Amino acid sequence: MSVTPPFWRQPPPPLNPDFLQQGHQRQASLTKPAGSLGRLEQLAITLSAQQQRPRPAVDRVRIVVFAADHGVCAEGVSAFPQEVTGQMIANFVNGGAAISVLARHLGAELEVINLGTAHPLLAHDGVVMAEIAPGTANLATAAAMSEEQLQAALSAGRDAVQRAAGAGTELFIGGEMGIGNTTAAAAVACALLDLAPEILAGPGTGLDADGIRHKVAVLHRALQRHRDTVAEADQPLPVLASLGGFEVAALAGAFLAAAQARIPVLVDGFIASVAALAATRLQPGLTDWLHFAHQSAEPGHARVLAALDADPLLRLGMRLGEGSGAAAAVPLLRQACALHNQMASFQDAGISKGQ
């Protein structure tokens, strides 16, 4: 009797070569010098191949914010108390957060998922309650999560994508919220990239120089504590379980599930990119489905983007998370689609084409 492998073991489909060819032909026919619209041209071509239609569109955008707390906050690695995670969940659904404003401006659907907060959160209209535990364990002294908890987090990401696919989503954005999550993301990135914490750790929610030095010391202890896991960094699931966060794992699961469902993904900042890094270590073919929105001000983000061979669309000095940098890049994707779909061809306009 055959056993179906877990979804994260299933590779995403390749991009459709026929639509890639048609996209290039379409761009070559438009009333402009070849390549004169730069990356907007390739964006449209890639979206066309991802969506398997000659006229791509990103009108229906789903933004999913995964929220969870982190046991490593016991080490004093954040400038904000853990109560803020739950308070921000309420702020998201009440419409006061940056991502809430951006979602409204874009006409995007916003879903908020509670994966587990240190301070109990009552059921709230607009919040998907998918609690795994009251946050992860302290990664500096123990594994952040069990194998079962990791699987639950990955599956929460898949479930969110299934809801998005059922709503006809044309573009998926994953955001995150969790006090302490830049520490967890930096730990995962250090392990996967074999880089020192001094290179990847940054201010997160606003640490000063002494706070960053302390954060680096905590990361060194964590990496030493999990040195056997780190030594097998080609195995991203044990790294996520030992050093990650529920929302980081959920993002990784969501990115994989979105690609499997042929939904393009617009990746946000440092934490989302670390999740993408882990997910691409599981399934290298995922890279065909990822668009990278921006390079954040978090110092380690440039290194993670380089490891992903990613050239972000924007550099605005943002470091908020929540999916906000990705939301800011959506108009560029929409403009790329509009130009691809609506420009006249040389033949249509009666214009002679150069050699």
Short mmCIF file of all heavy atoms in Angstrom, two decimals, residues 78-113:
data_model
loop_
_atom_site.label_atom_id
_atom_site.label_comp_id
_atom_site.label_asym_id
_atom_site.label_seq_id
_atom_site.Cartn_x
_atom_site.Cartn_y
_atom_site.Cartn_z
N SER A 78 14.44 41.43 22.32
CA SER A 78 13.55 42.36 21.63
C SER A 78 13.36 43.62 22.45
O SER A 78 13.37 43.59 23.69
CB SER A 78 12.19 41.71 21.36
OG SER A 78 11.29 42.65 20.79
N ALA A 79 13.12 44.73 21.74
CA ALA A 79 12.85 45.99 22.41
C ALA A 79 11.39 46.10 22.85
O ALA A 79 11.03 47.04 23.57
CB ALA A 79 13.19 47.15 21.48
N PHE A 80 10.55 45.16 22.42
CA PHE A 80 9.13 45.19 22.75
C PHE A 80 8.74 43.97 23.57
O PHE A 80 9.30 42.88 23.38
CB PHE A 80 8.28 45.23 21.47
CG PHE A 80 8.22 46.58 20.81
CD1 PHE A 80 9.26 47.02 20.00
CD2 PHE A 80 7.13 47.41 21.00
CE1 PHE A 80 9.21 48.25 19.38
CE2 PHE A 80 7.07 48.66 20.39
CZ PHE A 80 8.11 49.07 19.59
N PRO A 81 7.77 44.08 24.47
CA PRO A 81 7.30 42.93 25.24
C PRO A 81 6.43 42.01 24.38
O PRO A 81 5.87 42.42 23.36
CB PRO A 81 6.46 43.56 26.36
CG PRO A 81 5.96 44.84 25.75
CD PRO A 81 7.06 45.32 24.86
N GLN A 82 6.30 40.74 24.81
CA GLN A 82 5.55 39.77 24.02
C GLN A 82 4.06 40.08 23.93
O GLN A 82 3.39 39.60 23.01
CB GLN A 82 5.76 38.37 24.58
CG GLN A 82 7.11 37.78 24.19
CD GLN A 82 7.20 36.30 24.49
OE1 GLN A 82 7.20 35.90 25.64
NE2 GLN A 82 7.29 35.50 23.46
N GLU A 83 3.55 40.87 24.84
CA GLU A 83 2.13 41.23 24.75
C GLU A 83 1.78 41.86 23.42
O GLU A 83 0.64 41.81 22.95
CB GLU A 83 1.75 42.21 25.88
CG GLU A 83 1.77 41.61 27.27
CD GLU A 83 3.11 41.80 27.96
OE1 GLU A 83 4.14 41.81 27.25
OE2 GLU A 83 3.12 41.95 29.20
N VAL A 84 2.80 42.46 22.78
CA VAL A 84 2.56 43.19 21.53
C VAL A 84 2.07 42.26 20.42
O VAL A 84 1.30 42.68 19.55
CB VAL A 84 3.83 43.96 21.12
CG1 VAL A 84 3.68 44.54 19.72
CG2 VAL A 84 4.11 45.06 22.12
N THR A 85 2.50 41.01 20.43
CA THR A 85 2.06 40.09 19.37
C THR A 85 0.54 39.99 19.34
O THR A 85 -0.09 40.18 18.30
CB THR A 85 2.69 38.70 19.56
OG1 THR A 85 4.11 38.80 19.55
CG2 THR A 85 2.25 37.76 18.44
N GLY A 86 -0.06 39.71 20.48
CA GLY A 86 -1.51 39.62 20.54
C GLY A 86 -2.19 40.95 20.26
O GLY A 86 -3.24 41.00 19.60
N GLN A 87 -1.60 42.01 20.75
CA GLN A 87 -2.18 43.34 20.51
C GLN A 87 -2.16 43.68 19.02
O GLN A 87 -3.10 44.29 18.49
CB GLN A 87 -1.42 44.38 21.32
CG GLN A 87 -1.64 44.24 22.83
CD GLN A 87 -0.62 45.04 23.65
OE1 GLN A 87 0.32 45.63 23.10
NE2 GLN A 87 -0.79 45.04 24.97
N MET A 88 -1.10 43.30 18.34
CA MET A 88 -1.02 43.58 16.91
C MET A 88 -1.98 42.71 16.11
O MET A 88 -2.51 43.15 15.07
CB MET A 88 0.41 43.38 16.41
CG MET A 88 1.33 44.54 16.74
SD MET A 88 0.77 46.14 16.07
CE MET A 88 0.76 45.80 14.31
N ILE A 89 -2.24 41.50 16.56
CA ILE A 89 -3.24 40.67 15.89
C ILE A 89 -4.58 41.40 15.87
O ILE A 89 -5.26 41.48 14.83
CB ILE A 89 -3.37 39.30 16.58
CG1 ILE A 89 -2.11 38.46 16.31
CG2 ILE A 89 -4.62 38.55 16.10
CD1 ILE A 89 -2.07 37.14 17.08
N ALA A 90 -4.95 41.97 17.00
CA ALA A 90 -6.19 42.74 17.06
C ALA A 90 -6.11 43.97 16.17
O ALA A 90 -7.09 44.33 15.49
CB ALA A 90 -6.47 43.15 18.51
N ASN A 91 -4.96 44.60 16.13
CA ASN A 91 -4.79 45.78 15.29
C ASN A 91 -4.94 45.45 13.81
O ASN A 91 -5.50 46.24 13.04
CB ASN A 91 -3.42 46.41 15.57
CG ASN A 91 -3.29 47.82 15.04
OD1 ASN A 91 -4.26 48.56 14.92
ND2 ASN A 91 -2.07 48.21 14.71
N PHE A 92 -4.44 44.28 13.42
CA PHE A 92 -4.58 43.87 12.02
C PHE A 92 -6.05 43.80 11.62
O PHE A 92 -6.46 44.37 10.60
CB PHE A 92 -3.94 42.49 11.79
CG PHE A 92 -2.46 42.45 11.91
CD1 PHE A 92 -1.83 41.37 12.53
CD2 PHE A 92 -1.66 43.47 11.43
CE1 PHE A 92 -0.45 41.31 12.65
CE2 PHE A 92 -0.28 43.43 11.54
CZ PHE A 92 0.32 42.34 12.16
N VAL A 93 -6.84 43.08 12.41
CA VAL A 93 -8.23 42.87 12.01
C VAL A 93 -9.09 44.11 12.26
O VAL A 93 -10.15 44.25 11.64
CB VAL A 93 -8.82 41.63 12.71
CG1 VAL A 93 -8.07 40.37 12.28
CG2 VAL A 93 -8.78 41.77 14.22
N ASN A 94 -8.64 45.00 13.13
CA ASN A 94 -9.37 46.25 13.35
C ASN A 94 -9.03 47.31 12.31
O ASN A 94 -9.63 48.40 12.31
CB ASN A 94 -9.09 46.79 14.75
CG ASN A 94 -9.74 45.95 15.84
OD1 ASN A 94 -10.75 45.27 15.59
ND2 ASN A 94 -9.17 45.96 17.04
N GLY A 95 -8.06 47.01 11.45
CA GLY A 95 -7.76 47.90 10.34
C GLY A 95 -6.73 48.97 10.61
O GLY A 95 -6.50 49.85 9.76
N GLY A 96 -6.05 48.92 11.77
CA GLY A 96 -5.13 50.01 12.12
C GLY A 96 -3.68 49.77 11.79
O GLY A 96 -2.87 50.70 11.89
N ALA A 97 -3.32 48.56 11.39
CA ALA A 97 -1.91 48.26 11.11
C ALA A 97 -1.54 48.69 9.70
O ALA A 97 -2.40 48.86 8.83
CB ALA A 97 -1.66 46.76 11.28
N ALA A 98 -0.24 48.82 9.45
CA ALA A 98 0.22 49.22 8.12
C ALA A 98 -0.28 48.27 7.05
O ALA A 98 -0.75 48.70 5.98
CB ALA A 98 1.75 49.29 8.10
N ILE A 99 -0.20 46.98 7.31
CA ILE A 99 -0.64 46.02 6.28
C ILE A 99 -2.14 46.10 6.07
O ILE A 99 -2.63 45.86 4.96
CB ILE A 99 -0.19 44.58 6.63
CG1 ILE A 99 -0.35 43.67 5.43
CG2 ILE A 99 -0.94 44.05 7.84
CD1 ILE A 99 0.43 44.09 4.20
N SER A 100 -2.89 46.46 7.10
CA SER A 100 -4.33 46.62 6.95
C SER A 100 -4.63 47.78 6.00
O SER A 100 -5.51 47.68 5.13
CB SER A 100 -4.99 46.87 8.31
OG SER A 100 -4.56 45.93 9.27
N VAL A 101 -3.92 48.87 6.18
CA VAL A 101 -4.11 50.04 5.32
C VAL A 101 -3.72 49.71 3.88
O VAL A 101 -4.45 50.03 2.92
CB VAL A 101 -3.28 51.23 5.84
CG1 VAL A 101 -3.35 52.41 4.87
CG2 VAL A 101 -3.76 51.65 7.22
N LEU A 102 -2.58 49.06 3.71
CA LEU A 102 -2.12 48.73 2.36
C LEU A 102 -3.07 47.75 1.68
O LEU A 102 -3.34 47.87 0.48
CB LEU A 102 -0.71 48.15 2.43
CG LEU A 102 0.39 49.15 2.80
CD1 LEU A 102 1.69 48.43 3.12
CD2 LEU A 102 0.59 50.16 1.68
N ALA A 103 -3.58 46.78 2.43
CA ALA A 103 -4.52 45.82 1.85
C ALA A 103 -5.78 46.52 1.36
O ALA A 103 -6.28 46.24 0.26
CB ALA A 103 -4.87 44.74 2.88
N ARG A 104 -6.29 47.45 2.18
CA ARG A 104 -7.47 48.20 1.74
C ARG A 104 -7.17 49.01 0.48
O ARG A 104 -7.98 49.05 -0.46
CB ARG A 104 -7.95 49.15 2.85
CG ARG A 104 -8.67 48.49 4.00
CD ARG A 104 -9.46 49.49 4.82
NE ARG A 104 -8.66 50.58 5.35
CZ ARG A 104 -7.99 50.54 6.50
NH1 ARG A 104 -8.02 49.43 7.23
NH2 ARG A 104 -7.31 51.58 6.93
N HIS A 105 -6.03 49.63 0.45
CA HIS A 105 -5.65 50.46 -0.70
C HIS A 105 -5.56 49.63 -1.98
O HIS A 105 -5.92 50.09 -3.07
CB HIS A 105 -4.32 51.15 -0.42
CG HIS A 105 -3.81 52.00 -1.53
ND1 HIS A 105 -4.38 53.20 -1.88
CD2 HIS A 105 -2.78 51.80 -2.40
CE1 HIS A 105 -3.73 53.72 -2.90
NE2 HIS A 105 -2.76 52.89 -3.24
N LEU A 106 -5.07 48.39 -1.83
CA LEU A 106 -4.90 47.50 -2.98
C LEU A 106 -6.18 46.76 -3.34
O LEU A 106 -6.24 46.13 -4.40
CB LEU A 106 -3.80 46.48 -2.69
CG LEU A 106 -2.38 47.01 -2.53
CD1 LEU A 106 -1.47 45.92 -2.00
CD2 LEU A 106 -1.85 47.56 -3.85
N GLY A 107 -7.19 46.80 -2.47
CA GLY A 107 -8.36 45.96 -2.66
C GLY A 107 -8.03 44.50 -2.45
O GLY A 107 -8.66 43.61 -3.05
N ALA A 108 -7.04 44.22 -1.60
CA ALA A 108 -6.58 42.85 -1.34
C ALA A 108 -7.32 42.25 -0.15
O ALA A 108 -7.74 42.98 0.76
CB ALA A 108 -5.08 42.83 -1.08
N GLU A 109 -7.45 40.94 -0.16
CA GLU A 109 -8.02 40.24 0.99
C GLU A 109 -6.92 40.02 2.03
O GLU A 109 -5.81 39.61 1.68
CB GLU A 109 -8.60 38.90 0.55
CG GLU A 109 -9.78 39.01 -0.40
CD GLU A 109 -10.29 37.65 -0.83
OE1 GLU A 109 -9.47 36.73 -0.99
OE2 GLU A 109 -11.51 37.50 -1.01
N LEU A 110 -7.23 40.29 3.28
CA LEU A 110 -6.27 40.12 4.37
C LEU A 110 -6.78 39.06 5.32
O LEU A 110 -7.89 39.15 5.83
CB LEU A 110 -6.07 41.44 5.11
CG LEU A 110 -5.16 41.40 6.34
CD1 LEU A 110 -3.73 41.03 5.96
CD2 LEU A 110 -5.17 42.75 7.07
N GLU A 111 -5.95 38.04 5.54
CA GLU A 111 -6.28 36.98 6.50
C GLU A 111 -5.21 36.98 7.59
O GLU A 111 -4.01 37.05 7.29
CB GLU A 111 -6.33 35.62 5.81
CG GLU A 111 -6.68 34.47 6.74
CD GLU A 111 -6.85 33.15 6.00
OE1 GLU A 111 -5.83 32.44 5.82
OE2 GLU A 111 -7.98 32.83 5.60
N VAL A 112 -5.64 36.89 8.84
CA VAL A 112 -4.73 36.88 9.98
C VAL A 112 -4.87 35.54 10.69
O VAL A 112 -5.99 35.13 11.03
CB VAL A 112 -5.03 38.03 10.95
CG1 VAL A 112 -4.06 38.02 12.12
CG2 VAL A 112 -4.98 39.37 10.22
N ILE A 113 -3.75 34.86 10.92
CA ILE A 113 -3.77 33.52 11.52
C ILE A 113 -2.96 33.53 12.80
O ILE A 113 -1.77 33.88 12.81
CB ILE A 113 -3.20 32.48 10.54
CG1 ILE A 113 -4.01 32.48 9.24
CG2 ILE A 113 -3.20 31.09 11.18
CD1 ILE A 113 -3.46 31.53 8.19
#
